[in-house]
Amino acid sequence: MSNLNPMISVALCTFNGVNYLREQLQSVLKQTYDNFEIVIVDDGSTDGTLKIISEFAAFDTRIRFYENHERLNLNKNFEKAMLLCEGEYICPCDQDDVWAENKLECLLQNIGPNNLIFSNSEYIDSNGNSLNRNLYDDYVNQDFDNPLAFIFFNAIPGHTMMIKKQVIKAALPFPNSIFYDCWLALVALSDGKIKYIPKTLQFYRQHSSNILGAKGFATRNKIIKDPSEARKEAISNLELKLNYLEPATSGHNIIKALLDTYRSNNIPNRIRRVCIFIKNRETLLLLKKKRPLKKLFYCFKMYSRIRPCK
């Protein structure tokens, strides 16, 4: 018999978030669904973050708090937090966002047999005012059942997710070179499906200190790499992702063929790579919110470009 009131874990990773953490914690603690825990792992904050967490933890036993003695950074800090979670379902949580009161209840009611469920977000500024944009404006938001769409792109920011704990276990260890949310989406699709519900269940704050930001606002930190190093990383990432595609399937064969063109970046393989992208652009570029002609032009760019696969 299924558990009608399963434990949900909120995995909150903090780092110098004193300006917005109090509001975020209050929004999580006000959830209409009450069987949840908050697992907080702080990654070396030097402001008043630890004091705020301690205050909340002293008054609410649902909060478990851990400090890192050495910086783990984003991916490994979320990996640690999720491994400490005891719930059947896990929701990653950013320290500067605000949750709708029915977020946990709504996600749980709709996840069904899917490995992962996600929702829409509304963008807000540093003061909590609406920016009149939402996640749907920037990303393709729909149900997903094909991992190929997540080989090169991502459409599911971690703060929107509820994910089954079994997926977390299957995804270990989180690679350092692939953002954790994209990695979890790919692993979730390797043996299951992802569901989208078009409801705004969190408010995604945009400000100058974002570690990960929305399109058009703060962006993920970009490091300019030597082309040969970038190609090595892209090859390594593709090899990791290939392991989560069922062997001998069309998807597996497509990525294996692309991987061969990455390993030997000569002129014939560059042409071959463009042809593979063109032939499979509806799947490989599904998450690119572009018109058909622009997607076609994007394919031709692959002649001289190595897609980083993050």
Side-chain angles (χ1 to χ4, degrees), residues 40-288:
I40 305 176
V41 180
D42 184 79
D43 203 26
S45 291
T46 55
D47 59 2
T49 294
L50 299 180
K51 180 180 179 181
I52 292 174
I53 296 172
S54 297
E55 289 174 0
F56 275 83
F59 288 97
D60 200 309
T61 58
R62 292 175 295 182
I63 297 175
R64 290 193 284 123
F65 172 41
Y66 304 86
E67 295 181 59
N68 293 336
H69 298 296
E70 295 182 1
R71 286 292 309 279
L72 295 181
N73 294 318
L74 184 73
N75 270 23
K76 289 301 179 182
N77 202 34
F78 265 111
E79 178 183 295
K80 177 178 178 179
M82 291 179 186
L83 283 173
L84 290 167
C85 290
E86 297 178 355
E88 183 179 342
Y89 301 94
I90 297 174
C91 290
C93 182
D94 291 342
Q95 64 190 20
D96 42 14
D97 300 334
V98 180
W99 284 15
E101 291 184 359
N102 65 334
K103 174 175 177 172
L104 294 181
E105 181 180 11
C106 188
L107 291 176
L108 182 62
Q109 287 177 346
N110 288 278
I111 191 169
N114 301 284
N115 278 339
L116 187 154
I117 187 171
F118 72 110
S119 65
N120 202 0
S121 289
E122 181 179 342
Y123 300 144
I124 57 175
D125 65 15
S126 58
N127 295 316
N129 300 312
S130 174
L131 291 168
N132 298 314
R133 279 178 59 187
N134 58 55
L135 197 68
Y136 185 77
D137 294 327
D138 296 327
Y139 292 90
V140 174
N141 288 334
Q142 63 178 56
D143 296 347
F144 296 104
D145 60 8
N146 190 339
L148 274 190
F150 289 82
I151 293 295
F152 296 101
F153 308 100
N154 185 32
I156 309 178
H159 74 280
T160 68
M161 294 179 174
M162 173 181 283
I163 189 165
K164 291 182 177 178
K165 189 169 186 177
Q166 66 197 44
V167 177
I168 304 296
K169 293 178 180 178
L172 296 173
F174 293 4
N176 284 318
S177 57
I178 303 172
F179 287 113
Y180 84 93
D181 46 12
C182 184
W183 180 247
L184 289 177
L186 175 74
V187 175
L189 287 170
S190 66
D191 67 349
K193 296 181 180 182
I194 291 175
K195 183 175 179 61
Y196 171 68
I197 52 173
K199 295 183 178 181
T200 297
L201 296 180
Q202 53 275 314
F203 301 89
Y204 190 16
R205 197 186 304 269
Q206 302 302 302
H207 54 87
S208 59
S209 300
N210 279 106
I211 296 176
L212 304 179
K215 295 179 181 179
F217 300 104
T219 58
R220 296 178 190 250
N221 296 330
K222 293 184 179 179
I223 300 174
I224 304 301
K225 297 182 180 179
D226 177 83
S228 62
E229 290 301 314
R231 185 163 69 91
K232 288 179 182 178
E233 183 176 292
I235 290 171
S236 175
N237 288 351
L238 271 184
E239 289 173 340
L240 286 170
K241 293 180 177 183
L242 189 64
N243 292 329
Y244 286 86
L245 300 179
E246 188 177 347
T249 60
S250 61
H252 187 277
N253 293 338
I254 290 168
I255 301 308
K256 189 174 184 300
L258 277 175
L259 188 53
D260 290 340
T261 73
Y262 276 43
R263 288 174 175 146
S264 180
N265 197 34
N266 54 33
I267 291 177
N269 272 338
R270 290 183 180 192
I271 295 173
R272 185 181 174 211
R273 183 161 65 240
V274 170
C275 292
I276 293 171
F277 265 93
I278 291 175
K279 183 178 179 181
N280 301 284
R281 64 186 181 278
E282 294 305 317
T283 304
L284 293 175
L285 304 183
L286 174 65
L287 303 187
K288 294 290 285 182

